[in-house]
Amino acid sequence: MSSQLPGSSTGGSLKERLLCTVCKKLLVDAVVLNECRHIYCRACLLGHLDREDRCADCLTHLGPNKTAAFRPDPTLQDLVYKLTPQHYYQEVRYRKEFAARRRLQGVERRLVMDRNFTELARYLCKEEERIPVNLI
């Protein structure tokens, strides 16, 4: 069985497909470029788009409306969190700490602690449960 994800034109192992090529870490808020289907963390892509108007991997031109050049990939993000629940729980801690440091309230807090994101926990194992997964 191949570890190549559907829609992947470049192939690679499952582990490689779950890493952002900008930060070299597991994806957080995964987004996919519409033109070439390369995948990044949302924050990494937005930072890259501040400096460039091309894909960080294949240099495909993304056009004048950069925010229309990509879309969220919640399915891939769910896969990352389900395969590595410790990554999910770490992200929850980071978001809670961020909201507390910034003293976020109301709409701002809800944006950081998105309901769909926080409810994903019921589909994952508990943080203290350890399930060995080798993504190689």
Side-chain angles (χ1 to χ4, degrees), residues 28-29 42 72 74 77-78 81 88 91-96 98-99 104-122:
V28 175
D29 290 335
R42 180 181 181 83
Q77 190 61 63
D78 286 353
Y81 288 146
Y88 168 80
E91 183 63 19
V92 168
R93 279 192 300 275
Y94 287 156
R95 289 181 184 211
K96 285 180 180 178
F98 177 83
L104 298 180
Q105 301 288 323
V107 173
E108 289 177 327
R109 184 171 182 81
R110 283 193 298 277
L111 285 172
V112 171
M113 297 305 295
D114 177 89
R115 181 182 171 145
N116 292 332
F117 176 75
T118 55
E119 288 193 1
L120 180 63
R122 58 189 175 139

Side-chain angles (χ1 to χ4, degrees), residues 44-79:
C44 292
L45 180 61
L46 291 173
H48 174 77
L49 292 178
D50 280 344
R51 299 179 304 277
E52 301 279 338
D53 63 350
R54 299 182 178 278
C55 172
D57 289 317
C58 68
L59 304 179
T60 297
H61 188 267
L62 301 176
N65 187 353
K66 295 175 184 177
T67 57
F70 65 91
R71 61 183 167 73
D73 193 336
T75 302
L76 181 59
Q77 190 61 63
D78 286 353
L79 178 63

